[in-house]
Amino acid sequence: MSAAVRLLKARSGTVRFLLPLKQSAASNSLLVGTEAEIENAALAAPATEDEVIDEVLEELPVGSNPVQVETGEFDEAIEVEEEIPSESKPCLNHHCKKGKVCEVDESNTPMCVCQDPSTCLASTAEFEHVCGTDNKTYDSSCHFFATKCALEGTKKGHKLHLDYIGPCKFIAPCIDNELNEFPLRMRDWLKNVLVSLYERDEDNNMLSEKQKLRVKKIFENQKRLQAGEHSLDLLAHDFEKNYNMYIFPVHWQFGQLDQHPIDGYLSHTELAPLRAPLIPMEHCTTSFFDQCDTDNDKYIALEEWAGCFGLKEQDVDKDLVI
């Protein structure tokens, strides 16, 4: 089975995102992936614009998780711990969040200031564009975050977020039965992601020892529904029949997203690495996450997240968010 994918490659060679296009209305597979490198113990803002490469892979490996590691392109509100600068190059280890660059003041002290959008490299392909929540297409993520930085402290800036990858386009309304189908594919995908990571994790340490023990039980269960394209009826039946296999994957994904800060709640920024690639392919993405926020406080708690994926209240366990 072939899958059209987009590879957004940093100039250092680091693969930032791996995004297969949704295949067809008949396909119920949800496969979105990423691989990224943690550059420092603290998140370091990328120094250069990302190159975007369109490529078609003959077979997309299940298991590349869009939020398995750092959020990269979507860290719009994450401050980075600053290292002590050297006197000769004060900005060398002074990292700024997205949309800001380092400059020195009269006393040669480094400081972060908003980047001028005109200094961003021009995009070379359409899919380098990003769409903001203001329904405006920005030439690149660099242009978007530079613009957002200039609006800091304003009502407009507070409401402005990166909505999805690619130019703004018409997103079809999500009807009720489509919204009900979304978590069926998502749950199955999360389970397959973990199984795939377990199979390939001999030396990569992508999973902790505790995580491996939990995933091993899923992997060795002969009743496990194998990865592939399945009907919605089969996915629903498998969730009912093998419910316990889905409990840990749902908790695990929450833990991968809840990083800045780790507080048991998912903000818009923390959801962005999962939302932004999905929206152009899955038009019910926004409705699904809006529905998860049952108390409308703009944050998704673990209990709300688990409920969205159909877990029972008694099975929500903070200790599973490792």
Side-chain angles (χ1 to χ4, degrees), residues 63-286:
S64 299
N65 189 349
V67 289
Q68 182 178 319
V69 283
E70 63 170 312
T71 53
E73 284 296 303
F74 309 100
D75 294 339
E76 57 185 71
I78 300 170
E79 295 289 352
V80 181
E81 183 179 345
E82 299 166 359
E83 301 176 24
I84 300 175
S86 64
E87 293 183 4
S88 59
K89 296 181 179 180
C91 278
L92 182 62
N93 293 315
H94 189 90
H95 302 298
C96 302
K97 70 179 183 179
K98 279 285 188 177
K100 292 191 175 185
V101 293
C102 179
E103 292 184 1
V104 295
D105 60 16
E106 295 178 355
S107 61
N108 206 38
T109 301
M111 59 181 181
C112 293
V113 299
C114 289
Q115 181 176 3
D116 184 344
S118 66
T119 64
C120 294
L121 296 178
S123 63
T124 58
E126 184 178 274
F127 47 77
E128 288 185 79
H129 302 330
V130 297
C131 183
T133 50
D134 56 354
N135 201 34
K136 177 182 177 181
T137 297
Y138 294 82
D139 197 50
S140 69
S141 61
C142 176
H143 291 84
F144 169 80
F145 287 115
T147 301
K148 179 176 171 62
C149 182
L151 294 171
E152 277 187 352
T154 67
K155 186 176 182 180
K156 183 178 180 180
H158 180 71
K159 291 183 176 182
L160 180 60
H161 298 284
L162 190 153
D163 200 13
Y164 54 86
I165 295 172
C168 295
K169 64 178 185 179
F170 172 72
I171 303 293
C174 177
I175 59 179
D176 289 345
N177 68 309
E178 292 175 326
L179 187 58
N180 293 333
E181 294 169 358
F182 186 88
L184 296 176
R185 297 190 299 272
M186 195 75 173
R187 280 192 307 247
D188 184 60
W189 172 71
L190 290 178
K191 181 194 64 182
N192 293 334
V193 164
L194 276 176
V195 170
S196 181
L197 286 177
Y198 175 80
E199 290 178 307
R200 299 185 287 114
D201 199 30
E202 291 184 5
D203 303 312
N204 297 324
N205 296 318
M206 292 181 286
L207 297 171
S208 69
E209 292 304 315
K210 287 185 178 180
Q211 289 174 332
K212 288 179 183 177
L213 288 175
R214 293 188 179 278
V215 182
K216 182 181 180 181
K217 293 180 180 179
I218 301 174
F219 176 74
E220 294 180 344
N221 194 321
Q222 295 182 356
K223 296 181 180 180
R224 173 171 58 90
L225 184 64
Q226 299 297 315
E229 297 184 19
H230 304 295
S231 69
L232 295 171
D233 288 341
L234 179 57
L235 293 176
H237 175 73
D238 188 68
F239 179 64
E240 181 179 351
K241 183 180 178 181
N242 297 307
Y243 169 80
N244 289 334
M245 289 190 195
Y246 294 89
I247 295 175
F248 179 64
V250 170
H251 283 79
W252 172 79
Q253 180 66 93
F254 184 91
Q256 296 299 306
L257 289 163
D258 183 25
Q259 297 291 324
H260 309 291
I262 301 175
D263 58 1
Y265 295 89
L266 299 181
S267 65
H268 188 283
T269 298
E270 288 174 312
L271 278 171
L274 188 58
R275 287 181 71 259
L278 276 178
I279 290 176
M281 301 177 287
E282 291 277 355
H283 66 281
C284 284
T285 301
T286 297

